[in-house]
Amino acid sequence: MKKTFKLSVLCIAMLGLTACSDDDTDTSGLENQIEQLEAQNAELNTKNTELTAANDSLVEDNANLVTKADELQTKAVGYISTFAHQCAEEGVNFDYIDPNAPADEEPLVAAFASAMASDDCMSCHNYEGSDPANVPHGDYGTCSNCHDSPHEETPPVDPGDPQDPTFPQPEPDDTLVDGKTGASGSFYYGTGSFLNADYLAQRLNGSIYNYEWKEVSDGSGAKTLKTACGLQNREYMADMFPNDGKEYQLSAIKNQMGAKLVTTVNKFTDDETAEMVETPNVAIFGYGMKLEDDGNYYVSMSIGKNNTCYNAVTEGEARLAYYEYSPMLSAKFERNMGARILGTIDYERTALKGFDWVTEVPGLGAGEDFTPSDVDWTKVGACSLVIKVDSIIPLG
């Protein structure tokens, strides 16, 4: 009975196992899905690879663009060479105005006159003595803003042809030199010389205007570029703001247009030979020139008691040279321009003053027509020389 039951159970189990195996079941759909998914996955992998490559390319391109942008910025900064350029980078835009524009631009001149009026007197006189407190110009000086005085620059006029001579000229001779006038050869600088007295006076009395950064420490200046870009008269500044954390003001300056030389003769006794020796004495001073009512041109300067003053008063004459040099010009007669002035001392207009540079020495003041023998040099501290122009001749 038990054996028969066991056998029956075994047979049923085997039949069940056989019944679970179905050879007719279709699995192609699942296999197709798997194949599609695998294909899609492969496609996604391919796209991912492509996107990764594209992204890498974009990263590289972006890096290149950043590099180029940096290069362009560096290059742009290289083109920042003026104060106006600096301010434009800060978003403050204005056009630079040349302070030496034509004289008919009166507001420009007025702006400088106002700025110069605030400067101290010594920026005009440049006196280096121990007591520079009170140092006025002579009657024909060119500094009009240091102190109250009648000194004024020659008003802009049409002076005519610079080479049209006001005075008779030395006769050129290729074989000779002229010791009397100092002329030599064939007057190489004739076309580069200001022989017209009115034109020469305008150059002598004229000025070149400019602004510069002046370091200060009293809180009145600008420490940052942004602040500097808002300063009054900023449009006249060409030089870049230092931007070094220090404090700066816009400072107006006015300089003469050329070099003014005065030549006299030193006379002294040689210590060893006891003989009289003469040597040239050349100095640089600021002087002006103007036409007086008597029809003569006069040059005037205020200087300390020095060799030039002593020699001119003692000998009664001086030779002056005015010289403008433009190093960027190639033509010789444009690069070197000016004139030589031969003159004699006008003792009536000349005044010798004490050591305060103001008080006239008794008997040696303007209008007294003194002679060299009248001068006690121990009482003289300064000289207001007035030189009558005898001739204006070419550079040479």
Side-chain angles (χ1 to χ4, degrees):
M1 183 74 176
K2 289 184 181 180
K3 291 183 180 179
T4 302
F5 176 77
K6 291 181 180 178
L7 181 59
S8 297
V9 172
L10 178 62
C11 289
I12 292 171
M14 292 179 64
L15 179 61
L17 290 173
T18 303
C20 288
S21 175
D22 188 357
D23 293 337
D24 296 331
T25 301
D26 186 3
T27 61
S28 60
L30 181 59
E31 293 174 354
N32 288 336
Q33 290 180 6
I34 293 173
E35 290 176 358
Q36 291 177 3
L37 291 174
E38 289 177 346
Q40 291 175 2
N41 186 60
E43 184 178 354
L44 289 174
N45 287 335
T46 300
K47 289 183 177 181
N48 184 60
T49 301
E50 293 174 351
L51 289 173
T52 299
N55 182 67
D56 292 342
S57 178
L58 288 174
V59 170
E60 183 178 356
D61 290 343
N62 184 62
N64 291 334
L65 289 173
V66 171
T67 300
K68 289 181 178 180
D70 291 341
E71 292 174 353
L72 288 173
Q73 178 64 21
T74 301
K75 189 175 183 180
V77 171
Y79 284 116
I80 298 176
S81 58
T82 67
F83 181 51
H85 290 163
Q86 281 184 302
C87 292
E89 286 290 299
E90 290 290 325
V92 181
N93 296 296
F94 58 87
D95 293 327
Y96 168 72
I97 299 177
D98 183 1
N100 298 298
D104 57 357
E105 298 185 13
E106 294 184 1
L108 187 63
V109 177
F112 262 93
S114 175
M116 288 299 300
S118 63
D119 285 358
D120 60 46
C121 191
M122 302 327 301
S123 67
C124 184
H125 293 286
N126 295 322
Y127 177 61
E128 297 178 356
S130 59
D131 183 15
N134 204 347
V135 191
H137 278 286
D139 292 337
Y140 307 95
T142 60
C143 178
S144 60
N145 295 300
C146 282
H147 40 71
D148 293 333
S149 71
H151 315 320
E152 295 181 358
E153 294 185 8
T154 301
V157 296
D158 181 5
D161 181 0
Q163 278 78 50
D164 182 17
T166 303
F167 295 87
Q169 297 298 294
E171 293 295 330
D173 189 328
D174 290 338
T175 63
L176 298 176
V177 294
D178 184 356
K180 182 177 180 180
T181 66
S184 58
S186 57
F187 300 89
Y188 296 118
Y189 292 91
T191 59
S193 296
F194 305 144
L195 305 180
N196 183 316
D198 291 331
Y199 187 91
L200 178 59
Q202 182 166 300
R203 305 300 292 184
L204 282 169
N205 301 337
S207 298
I208 294 293
Y209 301 95
N210 195 21
Y211 272 104
E212 65 181 7
W213 293 111
K214 180 180 179 181
E215 185 177 345
V216 295
S217 58
D218 58 359
S220 62
K223 288 186 177 181
T224 66
L225 176 58
K226 191 74 173 181
T227 303
C229 292
L231 293 176
Q232 185 178 6
N233 296 325
R234 64 189 181 180
E235 62 271 21
Y236 303 124
M237 170 58 75
D239 294 338
M240 295 176 64
F241 182 67
N243 209 19
D244 55 6
K246 298 179 181 179
E247 186 179 355
Y248 294 91
Q249 284 182 340
L250 276 174
S251 177
I253 60 174
K254 181 176 70 171
N255 291 322
Q256 297 175 359
M257 300 172 70
K260 303 176 181 181
L261 307 178
V262 183
T263 303
T264 56
V265 178
N266 298 319
K267 295 183 179 181
F268 60 95
T269 302
D270 186 271
D271 293 336
E272 296 182 358
T273 65
E275 295 181 354
M276 181 62 67
V277 178
E278 296 185 0
T279 62
N281 182 80
V282 182
I284 301 176
F285 295 116
Y287 51 80
M289 184 174 79
K290 70 176 182 179
L291 177 66
E292 285 288 8
D293 294 337
D294 61 2
N296 293 314
Y297 288 88
Y298 292 89
V299 168
S300 177
M301 70 191 81
S302 282
I303 58 178
K305 181 180 69 174
N306 49 38
N307 282 0
T308 296
C309 171
Y310 177 85
N311 293 343
V313 170
T314 302
E315 301 300 324
E317 66 175 346
R319 299 192 173 190
L320 305 92
Y322 175 69
Y323 182 56
E324 295 179 12
Y325 178 62
S326 301
M328 300 305 292
L329 299 179
S330 59
K332 189 174 187 179
F333 302 140
E334 296 175 359
R335 184 174 65 247
N336 303 278
M337 306 191 76
R340 286 181 292 163
I341 303 171
L342 311 183
T344 51
I345 300 300
D346 187 310
Y347 290 100
E348 186 174 0
R349 287 180 168 84
T350 291
L352 302 185
K353 302 179 180 182
F355 293 93
D356 63 357
W357 284 58
V358 177
T359 306
E360 295 181 344
V361 177
L364 306 179
E368 308 220 28
D369 197 15
F370 61 89
T371 64
S373 61
D374 297 330
V375 180
D376 180 355
W377 288 99
T378 63
K379 298 180 179 179
V380 177
C383 310
S384 288
L385 296 179
V386 178
I387 302 171
K388 177 180 174 292
V389 177
D390 297 324
S391 184
I392 298 175
I393 62 175
L395 292 175

